Amino acid sequence: MTDTAPAAANRADAIREAPAKPATKPARPFFSSGPCAKPPGWHADGLATGSLGRSHRSKLGKSRIVHAMDVTRRILKLPATHRLGIVPGSDTGAVEMALWSMLGARPATMMAWESFGEGWVTDVVKQLKIDAKVVKSGYGELPDLAATDWSTDLVFTWNGTTSGVRVPNGDWIPDDRQGLSICDATSGVFAADLPWDKLDVVTFSWQKVLGGEGAHGVLILGPRAVERLESYVPAWPLPKIFRMTKGGKLIEGIFKGETINTPSMLAVEDVIWSLEWALGQGGLYGLIDRADANAAALDAWVQATDWIEHLAVDPATRSNTSVCLKFAPYVVEGLDEEAQLALVKKIAALLEAEDAAYDVAGYRDAPPGLRIWCGATVDTADIEALGPWLDWAFHTARA
């Protein structure tokens, strides 16, 4: 028998023998990657309700929308050169507004390393029928950012929600770029210090790092994006909810609280609560610190556990919010994808039945594994309490 054989046998024994059920549960077992956990201390009775039942165009309604926009700008340290608007359709709606309104003026490059990036490729190539260059890499890796052709418009995700891989910084985006940088940053905004001078279009939704409600997106436009909108008319018709110009000029009202369609004032009040909570945490850097601490706590458990690994190969590009994990090679040896997915489903079901963790299964298009949200609205103590429960659920499922 080789030296490695006893170790392999021990690992197999460990898989068959489930540990005792942990004594301590996460106080808030909410680890979904969207909608994400509410901030600590959140309760529905704490929301302001004066704007409910009022028109979003009323003085009160509009003032609450503008307040949400102003606090967002303050926390994100958004420069005065960039416009911010609340738009329909969550992050997807915000991305689609940018793609349909701005692409086609020059060649495009689409970068994808997870399922949402793949979705934007489909929309641009198959729906808009733009002959774009498509640059892809597998789950867990980034493509070669340095090889990007900046004579083209570039569409990319800052933080791949379904792969747990994020770009490390904005150094690869040149100041003298000819094309636009269009960034889906929905799992990165409020968890990273974004280089606004490098980003012409940024989109996100409230349901991610802020723990807000779904259905509303945020669209941020830099000066170069506004210039594109005012100088270019796409060859295809634009639905009303995508239109940002009138008579060749930007509709400024969109970025002054005059939303394209009727927003949920309850969702607006909910995100105001989260934004004001964020200010109390120290603003942007306080939120980043919380996410970093959560990701570090989960990483410490991963490093001490032999049956699980990070999906993201390079530690420098691992997300600090949507942390994606895969099974160790010895676990999946002899298991086809269907069997691996069944194992994931059983682990998630065991945890939910115990109210120890909700919604930890990996995304349906990603390699079989787990996905743990580590954004700022999660408490580090709950991440630390989660590890033993993951271990218990895995071994119980394999038993």
Side-chain angles (χ1 to χ4, degrees):
M1 182 177 290
T2 66
D3 291 341
T4 59
N10 290 339
R11 287 197 298 267
D13 290 342
I15 288 176
R16 288 193 294 270
E17 187 175 338
K21 191 179 296 185
T24 302
K25 294 180 183 179
R28 298 189 306 135
F30 304 101
F31 301 104
S32 164
S33 291
C36 302
K38 292 294 187 185
W42 180 94
H43 54 96
D45 291 342
L47 303 184
T49 58
S51 68
L52 305 189
R54 296 294 305 275
S55 169
H56 61 295
R57 296 187 180 93
S58 68
K59 184 177 180 180
L60 174 61
K62 184 176 177 180
S63 72
R64 297 302 283 170
I65 293 171
V66 170
H67 179 56
M69 296 164 68
D70 288 346
V71 180
T72 299
R73 294 187 70 96
R74 177 181 170 188
I75 294 174
L76 294 180
K77 304 181 183 299
L78 197 64
T81 54
H82 285 57
R83 292 166 169 85
L84 181 149
I86 296 169
V87 300
S90 194
D91 179 61
T92 299
V95 174
E96 296 286 12
M97 285 180 71
L99 300 184
W100 284 69
S101 299
M102 299 183 204
L103 291 188
R106 60 171 53 241
T109 298
M110 308 295 297
M111 300 185 79
W113 54 86
E114 50 96 48
S115 60
F116 287 104
E118 291 273 7
W120 309 142
V121 171
T122 297
D123 290 346
V124 169
V125 174
K126 294 187 177 181
Q127 299 299 320
L128 295 178
K129 301 188 185 305
I130 292 175
D131 186 17
K133 179 181 180 181
V134 178
V135 180
K136 295 184 181 183
S137 63
Y139 277 81
E141 298 180 344
L142 281 177
D144 183 3
L145 301 178
T148 304
D149 179 4
W150 281 104
S151 68
T152 71
D153 293 329
L154 180 73
V155 180
F156 70 102
T157 54
W158 188 274
N159 186 126
T161 308
T162 66
S163 69
V165 176
R166 63 177 177 177
V167 296
N169 51 53
D171 295 349
W172 56 287
I173 304 174
D175 294 333
D176 62 349
R177 60 190 177 278
Q178 295 173 271
L180 297 179
S181 57
I182 301 176
C183 177
D184 170 3
T186 197
S187 293
V189 169
F190 297 105
D193 192 2
L194 297 183
W196 295 108
D197 60 324
K198 304 279 190 178
L199 303 173
D200 300 309
V201 179
V202 172
T203 69
F204 66 93
S205 65
W206 293 339
Q207 64 167 316
K208 296 294 185 181
V209 182
L210 290 174
E213 294 301 299
H216 296 75
V218 174
L219 177 67
I220 297 174
L221 303 180
R224 300 175 78 253
V226 174
E227 181 183 9
R228 173 67 61 82
L229 285 169
E230 294 185 336
S231 63
Y232 167 67
V233 178
W236 43 81
L238 290 178
K240 179 180 178 180
I241 59 172
F242 288 178
R243 296 175 203 157
M244 291 183 277
T245 61
K246 184 176 182 180
K249 293 295 182 182
L250 187 72
I251 302 174
E252 293 284 0
I254 296 172
F255 307 95
K256 296 179 179 179
E258 299 170 12
T259 56
I260 294 174
N261 69 341
T262 306
S264 163
M265 293 309 299
L266 182 59
V268 170
E269 295 295 351
D270 177 76
V271 81
I272 288 173
W273 196 101
S274 294
L275 288 163
E276 293 178 345
W277 168 84
L279 288 175
Q281 302 303 306
L284 177 63
Y285 299 124
L287 298 181
I288 292 172
D289 287 346
R290 285 181 62 90
D292 285 348
N294 291 337
L298 184 61
D299 179 64
W301 173 77
V302 172
Q303 300 305 325
T305 306
D306 74 339
W307 58 266
I308 201 76
E309 299 175 354
H310 285 284
L311 180 58
V313 175
D314 182 357
T317 64
R318 284 179 191 155
S319 171
N320 62 345
T321 56
S322 56
V323 181
C324 298
L325 306 172
K326 63 180 180 179
F327 296 118
Y330 82 89
V331 172
V332 297
E333 185 176 355
L335 297 181
D336 60 20
E337 184 170 307
E338 184 177 353
Q340 294 176 46
L341 290 171
L343 177 58
V344 171
K345 186 176 181 180
K346 189 169 185 180
I347 291 170
L350 285 166
L351 292 166
E352 183 166 347
E354 295 288 340
D355 294 318
Y358 304 139
D359 310 317
V360 298
Y363 192 72
R364 60 181 179 269
D365 294 332
L370 305 176
R371 182 171 58 159
I372 313 298
W373 184 258
C374 289
T377 58
V378 175
D379 286 321
T380 302
D382 287 338
I383 295 290
E384 292 170 341
L386 174 65
W389 279 97
L390 293 174
D391 204 46
W392 169 82
F394 167 75
H395 289 289
T396 300
R398 289 285 283 176

